[in-house]
Amino acid sequence: MRRNDNYLPVAGEEKNMDVDFINTDAMSNESIPMKNLYADEGSPLYSRLGPYFTDGRRRVDYVLAYHIQKPSSIRRQPSRFGDNGFIHRLRRSMSMRSSRAPLQPKEDPEIAAQEQRTDYNENDKRFRRDEFEENLLETGLQLEKDEGSKIPGIGFLKVHAPWNVLCREAEFMKLKMPTKKVYEVKQGSNVVEKIRLFIHKVTAPLHPKVDANRPQSVKPLSHPFSREKQHLFDLSDRDKFFDSKTRNSIVYEVLKRTKCTRAKYSMGITSLLANGVYTSAYPLHDGDIEGVNAEANDRKLLYEEWASYSVFYKYQPIGLIRKYFGEKVGLYFAWLGVYTQMLIPAAIVGVIVFLYGCATVDGNIPSMEICDPRNNITMCPLCDRACSYWKLVTACGTARASHLFDNPATVFFSIFMALWAVLFMEHWKRRQMRLNYIWDLTGFGEEEEEEHKDHNRAEYEFRVMKKTMRQDNSTPKGEKVKLTCTDRMPAYLTTVVMMGFMILVTFAIVFGVILYRISIKAALHMSTSTVARSNIRATVKTTAAIINLIIIIIMDEIYGAIARWLTTLEVPKTDKNYEERLIFKTFVLKFVNAFTPIVYLAFFRGRLVGRPGSYLYVVGSYRMEECAHAGCLMELCIQLCITMLGKQLIQNNLFEIGIPKLKKLLRRRKSDLEEEVNKTLQRHEKDHMLGPFTGLSPEYMEMIIQFGMVTLFVASFPLAPLFALLNNIIEIRLDAKKFVMELRRPIAAKAKDIGIWYNLLRGLSKVAVIVNAFVISFTSDFIPRLVYQYMYSVDGTMHGFVNHTLSYFNVSDFQPGTDPIQPMHLGYKVEICRYKDYREPPSSSTPYELSKEFWAVLAARLAFVVVFQNVVMLMSDFVDWLIPDIPKDISLQIHKEKILMVELFMKEEQGKRLAARDNHNLDNFASHSSANRSSPRARSRPAAQDVVWENEHHEREANGSPVYRV
């Protein structure tokens, strides 16, 4: 295959190019058929805005972009050499190198290149591009350059894979392709099938209008592509046999496998991108989605039926998403859809629990006792000096609000959510297996995954190259150089130290917010403003929660950058290793950042206080803060509510809408493109203006943190599933719009599961059981109420519960300098005040010591944690055992598919044997006929033999076997 048939500049722009692979001498003698590029009128055969080469027929499967900066030291000279032009350019580049700055034998070429002038650096990049593109041509790919684009300073290399390359690589990659053989898919028994059809008919308006012409009950049999078995596949339309997603992934595999070799090291496409030889590499979108001239394509269909807010109530077209973006992206959106769908019953039950609390608040006896002014309970000061005595009746509003989230129904809701998490995981596993069957991923095993992840990252290759240059003489010949644990030890130590330091920073920030709450509470108590003094609790709680939210959002971005830096420092070998290490670090840091304030409110606030006359102080004179009389559950609820809503509205949605649009606007302004000029850009130029695809980790991470918010502390905030549901309905369409409109098309990556994210989800669901058990037991008043009702109540009711939970303190026992400045604030002298704790009264032989009621409540709390945890875990394991991971109909269909595949190959082998026997009979008959013709006594074949021959002919035709006539 001649190079000048494959590697063409854009028509009319050869004069703008430097020395290319165009053979000018050959062109004068052997003209390239350029007339195919244009119609008779001289206009292109296709719309230049489409994803095609200049000839309008060859599809652009991949695009490499690079900077155009011609060095002044190189003069444009017409190339007068033929196919050996690359060798001449190589020699010229090497002579340039030797005349400027010869490298030392062990000196790093990358470092040396950076020390030279800018034009040398650009010449070096041009040399590497030329060598890499020459190697691409040798693989059979076809290339076309466009250095006269409307984006200044950017050149494009368009890559096309011809049919023979697609077939070769598809066989090498073991891609499963649909065969001509189809079979009927049954969803189960007749009753199940009828129920499914009925549900499908009822929910028809909720289904997107895609795949309307494809019968749902028929599935083609898939088999790994093989050039020897092309007759098994329907190749009537070669342009559509390999869809754009498959073509892109094939070309990407060729790009990763192709190396740019030099004296002592080789560089793949990842290294070339990392070193700026190419600035970007991406497949093209199918076409435009807006405008009068926009033709029908999968991208436009996705925009209309998936990425539009007007279809928020519809199911997602998961099959079309997978067809366009690949299995990995398809699995993410399928998982997000299942998660959102499962949030519906959780949200309904949560709203019912909340409404139950609203309905029973007026009949709640502890709240009524707190709000009853006749009780006349005087409470001890909430802070030293500035705070004075106060009436318990002033906490009436807080007590009533706490009952909305702290009632017997929350215990039921905690058990329900623990089982819900297990059901969600089981439902997703079954859905995942169904998708694996539909997408022909059931045979996608470890071998295929190894083939797809064995490409080294650019940073790893660069480090190995540097180590090779250092150990050039000491390394035994033939031994492969690689990075060892010793090489990475400084990076590992840095990671451990930095991770520990960042976690300590998070604790310090939370401690700072605690000091803020203590200080602002004292300041408001000393304020002369009536308004400020009347809303002290609400002001302190709300402002502290907002400060926590702002800090969480800021630190999330910082922690994400630190996690990426630490992971890059470790130099993982493959992209899969890099992704897993990055996910682990990011999850740990962001999880600690988001949940440390919540954990403090749930389990530590109010526990480390001390008692009147013997309080616990930190940082000198800061007295640790107490919970309200109704407990810290209300403050925990406020913190969860503000954090969850704030992260969803600001961090997830606002950032996802605003930042991509701002980046896109800056890219356009940087390119100085007018709006009218932007409309006339070609497809590869338009996609260059889009943002690069950075992976699915940020999308998964925000959903994992949300899942933690929904499950870990759901006992204190039953409305969390409702807020998560509303957010996810918007989130799906936001992500869809971002993938379709704002980002470049990602490489179609195969995956049969969601990977490490499933393990994180499962771990969170297990931890949620323990956390909710402790929240119910220690944070809420559920256990103290039960203990009082069944052990200490006279009539078995909750009357007297508030008085039972309050201890007595003699104000004369205050430490010097801690008593209130205004002791007559209530209008009378206070001698005895009350505080919430189980302690002996001042008149006791052991004053202020923990009472027996405290130990009884503590024992009940610990017993509840053990019982709750084991019962819920047992129920969860039972549900897990009860529901099979693979649906029965899917297992039957997989078995049926294997049988059909065996039958297909048996039939093929039988056909081969019959063909071989026919050929043997034909040869025998030919030799026999020749012998008879040479014999004077030759006679004709009897009529009976003709009948036998005709019967065999009909039988073989019925079996589909080849028939040979003589």
Side-chain angles (χ1 to χ4, degrees):
M1 184 176 293
R2 297 195 311 274
R3 185 184 305 116
N4 46 349
D5 288 337
N6 300 332
Y7 193 4
L8 299 176
V10 175
E13 294 173 354
E14 293 88 348
K15 61 181 181 297
N16 296 326
M17 300 175 61
D18 198 5
V19 183
D20 285 317
F21 292 123
I22 300 296
N23 186 337
T24 55
D25 293 338
M27 287 177 64
S28 60
N29 300 326
E30 186 179 359
S31 177
I32 299 175
M34 296 293 289
K35 58 184 176 61
N36 291 337
L37 304 180
Y38 292 88
D40 296 335
E41 301 87 354
S43 61
L45 286 173
Y46 77 111
S47 170
R48 285 179 60 84
L49 306 182
Y52 296 95
F53 273 20
T54 316
D55 57 11
R57 296 188 303 271
R58 290 178 289 180
R59 182 182 180 90
V60 178
D61 297 317
Y62 218 86
V63 171
L64 302 177
Y66 53 91
H67 283 297
I68 302 175
Q69 184 178 350
K70 294 182 174 62
S72 58
S73 59
I74 295 183
R75 304 284 185 183
R76 273 191 74 247
Q77 298 178 358
S79 174
R80 298 190 177 278
F81 40 81
D83 284 346
N84 294 326
F86 176 75
I87 301 175
H88 285 271
R89 177 175 294 180
L90 179 64
R91 290 174 179 171
R92 183 175 65 177
S93 178
M94 295 301 291
S95 64
M96 288 165 50
R97 175 180 293 277
S98 60
S99 64
R100 289 186 176 180
L103 299 177
Q104 298 299 323
K106 292 186 179 181
E107 189 175 2
D108 178 16
E110 297 293 332
I111 304 299
Q114 293 175 5
E115 294 174 353
Q116 306 307 318
R117 295 194 312 233
T118 305
D119 56 349
Y120 171 78
N121 187 33
E122 290 300 321
N123 294 337
D124 193 58
K125 291 179 181 179
R126 181 186 294 271
F127 157 66
R128 296 185 194 178
R129 282 200 299 269
D130 292 343
E131 183 184 1
F132 183 72
E133 290 159 12
E134 174 75 11
N135 294 337
L136 288 180
L137 291 173
E138 293 178 359
T139 64
L141 295 178
Q142 298 178 2
L143 312 177
E144 182 180 78
K145 272 192 174 180
D146 179 8
E147 292 190 351
S149 68
K150 297 177 181 177
I151 303 178
I154 299 295
F156 297 95
L157 179 70
K158 295 179 279 188
V159 184
H160 168 77
W163 174 256
N164 61 329
V165 174
L166 293 174
C167 293
R168 182 192 71 206
E169 297 298 324
E171 182 175 359
F172 175 74
M173 296 168 62
K174 302 177 183 177
L175 295 180
K176 276 191 172 183
M177 304 301 296
T179 63
K180 299 177 184 178
K181 178 71 174 179
V182 296
Y183 66 96
E184 184 180 1
V185 177
K186 292 185 178 181
Q187 299 289 339
S189 61
N190 293 332
V191 178
V192 175
E193 181 72 12
K194 289 179 180 178
I195 294 175
R196 188 188 66 84
L197 292 175
F198 174 75
I199 295 175
H200 188 273
K201 186 179 293 185
V202 171
T203 59
L206 303 180
H207 291 276
K209 298 176 182 178
V210 296
D211 295 334
N213 299 325
R214 179 183 172 185
Q216 299 293 330
S217 59
V218 174
K219 183 179 184 295
L221 195 65
S222 297
H223 184 264
F225 185 81
S226 173
R227 286 172 290 181
E228 295 180 355
K229 296 182 173 61
Q230 290 192 23
H231 58 278
L232 297 177
F233 306 94
D234 184 9
L235 304 180
S236 57
D237 189 353
R238 291 187 173 185
D239 293 336
K240 295 183 179 179
F241 182 72
F242 295 107
D243 57 15
S244 60
K245 174 206 65 170
T246 307
R247 297 174 67 97
N248 298 339
S249 60
I250 287 176
V251 173
Y252 181 62
E253 287 297 320
V254 177
L255 290 175
K256 288 199 298 184
R257 200 169 62 243
T258 305
K259 299 294 182 181
C260 175
T261 58
R262 296 184 68 177
K264 290 187 178 297
Y265 65 95
S266 63
M267 299 179 69
I269 183 61
T270 52
S271 300
L272 295 175
L273 288 169
N275 289 280
V277 178
Y278 292 102
T279 57
S280 57
Y282 52 91
L284 296 182
H285 281 290
D286 277 358
D288 292 323
I289 56 179
E290 296 175 334
V292 181
N293 299 326
E295 299 179 355
N297 55 72
D298 287 343
R299 187 189 184 196
K300 185 177 181 181
L301 188 59
L302 282 172
Y303 175 75
E304 294 172 350
E305 296 294 331
W306 180 48
S308 176
Y309 290 110
S310 60
V311 294
F312 74 93
Y313 61 92
K314 288 188 176 182
Y315 294 111
Q316 298 183 86
I318 297 299
L320 186 60
I321 297 170
R322 172 253 180 180
K323 177 186 175 185
Y324 192 78
F325 292 109
E327 287 78 6
K328 196 169 186 178
V329 176
L331 279 175
Y332 163 71
F333 283 103
W335 173 83
L336 184 56
V338 170
Y339 173 46
T340 306
Q341 190 177 6
M342 288 293 292
L343 281 172
I344 296 176
I348 292 174
V349 177
V351 170
I352 293 174
V353 170
F354 178 75
L355 294 178
Y356 171 80
C358 295
T360 58
V361 66
D362 291 332
N364 183 40
I365 295 176
S367 300
M368 293 169 61
E369 290 183 346
I370 293 175
C371 297
D372 190 355
R374 294 174 297 178
N375 288 331
N376 195 27
I377 299 177
T378 303
M379 303 296 293
C380 295
L382 296 174
C383 62
D384 291 344
R385 304 297 289 169
C387 303
S388 185
Y389 306 106
W390 56 284
K391 291 291 187 179
L392 183 60
V393 70
T394 58
C396 176
T398 305
R400 290 174 62 87
S402 297
H403 178 74
L404 303 180
F405 306 99
D406 186 7
N407 55 70
T410 57
V411 180
F412 157 76
F413 190 57
S414 299
I415 299 174
F416 171 82
M417 287 303 295
L419 297 179
W420 172 88
V422 177
L423 288 173
F424 163 60
M425 304 300 290
E426 292 301 315
H427 181 33
W428 167 243
K429 282 194 293 187
R430 292 170 62 85
R431 173 68 171 158
Q432 187 173 261
M433 284 303 304
R434 191 175 295 276
L435 290 176
N436 285 341
Y437 163 70
I438 296 173
W439 295 349
D440 297 315
L441 295 173
T442 52
F444 186 75
E446 293 297 328
E447 298 82 6
E448 288 82 356
E449 290 182 2
E450 289 297 328
E451 289 179 5
H452 286 82
K453 72 177 182 181
D454 60 356
H455 299 284
N456 297 338
R457 299 182 69 250
E459 290 82 357
Y460 182 84
E461 291 181 349
F462 184 68
R463 286 284 299 274
V464 169
M465 179 265 296
K466 291 175 65 177
K467 186 176 180 180
T468 304
M469 303 289 280
R470 290 196 305 266
Q471 300 178 354
D472 188 26
N473 298 327
S474 59
T475 304
K477 192 172 182 180
E479 182 178 343
K480 188 175 180 180
V481 178
K482 61 181 180 179
L483 296 183
T484 62
C485 185
T486 306
D487 298 326
R488 293 190 175 101
M489 187 58 65
Y492 290 156
L493 293 177
T494 305
T495 299
V496 172
V497 172
M498 282 298 297
M499 292 280 287
F501 176 72
M502 288 297 103
I503 292 175
L504 290 178
V505 167
T506 303
F507 292 163
I509 291 173
V510 173
F511 185 70
V513 176
I514 295 172
L515 297 183
Y516 161 80
R517 273 201 293 257
I518 297 172
S519 303
I520 198 68
K521 182 187 294 184
L524 290 176
H525 274 287
M526 296 175 64
S527 175
T528 57
S529 173
T530 308
V531 178
R533 292 174 63 89
S534 62
N535 297 291
I536 293 176
R537 287 185 180 275
T539 303
V540 172
K541 293 174 186 176
T542 307
T543 55
I546 293 174
I547 292 173
N548 271 324
L549 170 65
I550 296 173
I551 292 173
I552 287 172
I553 292 176
I554 295 174
M555 296 305 295
D556 264 357
E557 301 301 320
I558 297 175
Y559 287 158
I562 290 175
R564 286 190 295 273
W565 172 67
L566 291 175
T567 308
T568 306
L569 205 63
E570 294 176 2
V571 197
K573 184 176 182 180
T574 63
D575 288 333
K576 186 176 179 63
N577 292 338
Y578 179 88
E579 185 180 16
E580 289 180 349
R581 295 185 184 191
L582 177 61
I583 288 171
F584 175 75
K585 295 181 183 64
T586 308
F587 174 75
V588 170
L589 292 176
K590 290 192 174 184
F591 185 85
V592 171
N593 182 41
F595 286 97
T596 300
I598 300 172
V599 170
Y600 164 74
L601 288 175
F603 302 122
F604 295 99
R605 185 179 177 182
R607 305 286 186 274
L608 307 174
V609 177
R611 60 170 179 82
S614 180
Y615 284 114
L616 177 65
Y617 293 90
V618 293
V619 194
S621 59
Y622 286 92
R623 195 180 98 185
M624 288 300 291
E625 52 186 347
E626 303 176 47
C627 291
H629 178 76
C632 286
L633 203 65
M634 190 62 197
E635 294 190 33
L636 176 61
C637 175
I638 293 174
Q639 181 68 57
L640 270 170
C641 182
I642 292 179
T643 303
M644 191 172 183
L645 291 179
K647 280 178 65 67
Q648 291 176 354
L649 292 177
I650 299 175
Q651 190 175 28
N652 298 349
N653 297 336
L654 188 62
F655 282 9
E656 288 191 14
I657 296 174
I659 291 181
K661 288 188 178 296
L662 183 62
K663 289 182 178 179
K664 188 176 180 181
L665 180 63
L666 291 176
R667 280 193 297 269
R668 286 185 178 179
R669 295 194 64 176
K670 187 177 180 181
S671 302
D672 296 327
L673 292 177
E674 299 288 341
E675 188 66 26
E676 294 299 324
V677 176
N678 184 59
K679 293 180 180 179
T680 61
L681 293 178
Q682 299 185 46
R683 181 75 266 151
H684 59 276
E685 295 170 329
K686 290 182 178 179
D687 285 7
H688 187 266
M689 304 300 296
L690 300 177
F693 175 71
T694 57
L696 291 168
S697 295
E699 315 299 333
Y700 273 115
M701 187 62 67
E702 65 181 73
M703 289 294 106
I704 295 296
I705 298 297
Q706 185 200 86
F707 182 81
M709 295 278 185
V710 169
T711 56
L712 289 179
F713 295 92
V714 74
S716 60
F717 191 37
L719 294 180
L722 176 64
F723 291 145
L725 173 63
L726 297 177
N727 172 80
N728 287 4
I729 292 174
I730 302 174
E731 179 74 21
I732 289 176
R733 306 305 162 181
L734 269 179
D735 286 346
K737 189 177 289 290
K738 182 172 66 175
F739 272 78
V740 174
M741 297 183 64
E742 305 294 339
L743 297 179
R744 294 172 189 161
R745 189 174 183 178
I747 303 298
K750 280 188 176 294
K752 63 185 302 183
D753 51 41
I754 60 176
I756 191 175
W757 301 108
Y758 180 82
N759 298 329
L760 293 177
L761 287 169
R762 196 166 186 86
L764 282 177
S765 63
K766 298 292 186 184
V767 173
V769 178
I770 303 173
V771 171
N772 282 300
F774 276 95
V775 168
I776 295 172
S777 181
F778 286 90
T779 309
S780 74
D781 278 341
F782 177 74
I783 298 301
R785 287 197 296 264
L786 285 182
V787 172
Y788 173 78
Q789 185 175 1
Y790 293 105
M791 290 183 63
Y792 300 103
S793 176
V794 178
D795 53 359
T797 63
M798 294 302 297
H799 288 287
F801 172 72
V802 173
N803 186 63
H804 177 76
T805 58
L806 297 176
S807 299
Y808 293 89
F809 178 74
N810 193 330
V811 298
S812 61
D813 294 331
F814 272 124
Q815 291 181 352
T818 61
D819 55 320
I821 298 176
Q822 299 177 347
M824 301 295 293
H825 173 69
L826 297 179
Y828 59 89
K829 183 179 180 181
V830 177
E831 296 182 355
I832 296 294
C833 64
R834 309 289 296 274
Y835 62 98
K836 188 178 181 181
D837 205 347
Y838 292 100
R839 291 185 179 270
E840 297 291 343
S843 59
S844 173
S845 58
T846 55
Y848 307 127
E849 292 294 327
L850 296 173
S851 63
K852 61 179 181 180
E853 288 85 357
F854 170 84
W855 300 110
V857 172
L858 179 62
R861 282 173 165 167
L862 294 176
F864 176 83
V865 169
V866 174
V867 173
F868 182 90
Q869 175 186 339
N870 285 279
V871 168
V872 175
M873 288 286 190
L874 184 62
M875 294 171 65
S876 301
D877 292 340
F878 176 74
V879 172
D880 190 2
W881 170 80
L882 191 65
I883 302 175
D885 294 344
I886 304 177
K888 185 177 180 180
D889 60 313
I890 294 299
S891 60
L892 292 176
Q893 295 296 341
I894 294 174
H895 182 66
K896 178 180 179 180
E897 198 171 80
K898 292 180 180 178
I899 294 176
L900 290 175
M901 186 64 68
V902 172
E903 291 179 354
L904 180 65
F905 281 105
M906 291 295 293
K907 189 174 182 180
E908 183 183 4
E909 290 298 323
Q910 184 181 4
K912 288 182 180 179
R913 287 196 300 269
L914 291 174
R917 192 177 70 181
D918 287 344
N919 290 333
H920 180 70
N921 292 338
L922 188 61
D923 292 341
N924 290 340
F925 179 76
S927 60
H928 180 67
S929 299
S930 176
N932 288 341
R933 282 196 300 270
S934 61
S935 174
R937 293 182 296 174
R939 57 187 180 87
S940 61
R941 187 176 57 190
Q945 188 173 349
D946 290 336
V947 174
V948 173
W949 184 272
E950 197 67 27
N951 290 340
E952 288 185 358
H953 160 73
H954 289 302
E955 182 179 353
R956 288 169 188 166
E957 277 190 340
N959 292 332
S961 303
V963 178
Y964 300 90
R965 297 180 183 274
V966 181

